Amino acid sequence: MVMFWVSLLAISILLYVLLDGVDLGVGVLFGLSNGEARRSTMLSAVAPIWDGNETWLIVTGVILWGAFPVVYATLLSAFYLPLFLMLAGLILRGVAFEFRNKTQRMRWIWDLSFAGGSLVASFMQGTTVGALVEGLPVTNGQYSGGDFGWLTPFAALCGIGLCLGYALLGACWLVKKCDAEVRDRAHRQIRILAVSVLVFLVVVFVYALAEHLPILHRWIDRPYLFAFPAIGAVAAIVLALSILRHNDHWPFYMVALIFVSAFGTLALSFWPYLIPFVITIDEAAAPRSSLMFMFWGGVVVFPLMLVYTLVSYSVFRGKIRTTTVHY
């Protein structure tokens, strides 16, 4: 039963990163774009799906709260401020997405809010992951790092890296969904962002070696973990070839595969810990009676959410038309 909820948690996190990473990335690129027609096209590329993508973040929180309450309490204690800023960014982005359509004179404020909210949310998510990889200070089962114990150079570096990764994912989505000027501009951005992400990965690896991060020992103990970077390397090669050939579809799927390989590497490096290297899965799990009570909701609601996600992406597949939008 514990493994059932671990699996659902992993799937929920991965789906959130892939799906909401798309519109967060588009939001980051939105701040670098000008022209109402171009910006309207970018918003149209994510308008049918962005709101549903964030549902997977709620699912992740609910699973942690119900199935792994110890982890939920520890993470909230450690990350109150970054989680607050992340949620504020997501809320601001959602409000801006709707309000910019209702005004002409003040639209620049909502454009700035949409881009800024996306950037803040992305950075805070990356910082949180970086802090977990580096290790949280926990004493007697409780977080002991203070209000800013999570904010380290490595965590901030990971925040920047995730912003770049989301922007790359968003650019690939724009190439997949758009035509004409927006697609051509996104093609050029993919090249710059792909190189930037590669540089980030090299810097992170060198930093981890220099600081002797505990996660590196997992790579020595578990050589099968190198299978995931190998998959990511193959995906990167295909990505480069698809960019050179100006293919509109393969870049998105290859970047998504790179994200999956990175997620798989981290997940198996953490195993069997939910908070590395402090709280294991068995230590964090709720009583079996609670897991069983939640089980019946999970087997009904989770498949329905998957079906809804598949249907929504299927209905809105294909490229959007680039049109001038009047408000």
Side-chain angles (χ1 to χ4, degrees), residues 8-308:
L8 257 59
L9 178 64
I11 294 172
S12 299
I13 295 173
L14 179 59
L15 286 175
Y16 173 76
V17 169
L18 290 176
L19 301 182
D20 207 36
V22 166
D23 50 81
L24 283 171
V26 171
V28 172
L29 296 175
F30 185 87
L32 303 176
S33 301
N34 51 27
E36 180 56 30
R38 185 183 297 117
R39 288 185 167 183
S40 296
T41 301
M42 294 174 69
L43 291 179
S44 297
V46 297
I49 47 106
W50 77 272
D51 206 10
N53 293 340
E54 294 179 355
T55 305
W56 294 104
L57 180 62
I58 299 173
V59 172
T60 298
V62 170
I63 292 176
L64 285 175
W65 173 74
F68 305 102
V70 175
V71 173
Y72 181 83
T74 304
L75 290 180
L76 281 184
S77 298
F79 298 118
Y80 266 127
L81 182 57
L83 289 178
F84 172 81
L85 292 174
M86 181 194 72
L87 292 176
L90 293 176
I91 293 170
L92 180 62
R93 184 184 65 146
V95 172
F97 196 99
E98 301 296 336
F99 275 37
R100 77 175 303 275
N101 296 341
K102 309 299 181 183
T103 181
Q104 283 279 358
R105 186 178 58 181
M106 305 297 289
R107 183 170 293 168
W108 68 271
I109 294 179
W110 300 116
D111 286 348
L112 183 62
S113 299
F114 180 71
S118 300
L119 185 63
V120 168
S122 302
F123 179 77
M124 287 303 150
Q125 289 176 18
T127 301
T128 301
V129 174
L132 285 173
V133 170
E134 194 169 16
L136 292 177
V138 176
T139 305
N140 297 325
Q142 295 184 347
Y143 173 71
S144 57
D147 293 337
F148 295 95
W150 51 273
L151 187 56
T152 64
F154 181 78
L157 180 64
C158 290
I160 296 172
L162 190 61
C163 289
L164 293 172
Y166 278 168
L168 177 59
L169 194 61
C172 292
W173 181 257
L174 292 176
V175 165
K176 185 176 184 295
K177 297 292 292 183
C178 301
D179 274 322
E181 185 182 1
V182 174
R183 179 196 60 190
D184 296 339
R185 180 183 176 89
H187 261 300
R188 295 191 295 270
Q189 289 172 330
I190 288 176
R191 302 185 182 203
I192 299 173
L193 290 168
V195 173
S196 300
V197 170
L198 178 61
V199 171
F200 159 75
L201 292 175
V202 172
V203 172
V204 164
F205 185 70
V206 171
Y207 186 100
L209 286 175
E211 295 296 322
H212 302 288
L213 295 186
I215 197 171
L216 291 179
H217 298 293
R218 295 294 173 126
W219 289 58
I220 298 174
D221 299 336
R222 303 172 179 180
Y224 59 83
L225 289 175
F226 286 95
F228 289 98
I231 293 173
V234 172
I237 293 172
V238 178
L239 171 65
L241 293 174
S242 63
I243 293 172
L244 292 175
R245 296 175 181 176
H246 292 277
N247 186 280
D248 288 355
H249 296 281
W250 281 108
F252 175 75
Y253 296 113
M254 291 303 102
V255 172
L257 185 56
I258 292 172
F259 267 85
V260 171
S261 64
F263 179 83
T265 302
L266 280 179
L268 290 180
S269 296
F270 289 172
W271 184 268
Y273 294 92
L274 278 181
I275 297 183
F277 296 91
V278 178
I279 301 176
T280 66
I281 292 170
D282 291 333
E283 292 171 345
R288 181 174 174 81
S289 57
S290 298
L291 298 180
M292 284 299 300
F293 178 79
M294 294 174 58
F295 172 78
W296 300 109
V299 296
V300 174
V301 176
F302 203 86
L304 287 177
M305 292 182 60
L306 287 174
V307 170
Y308 169 80

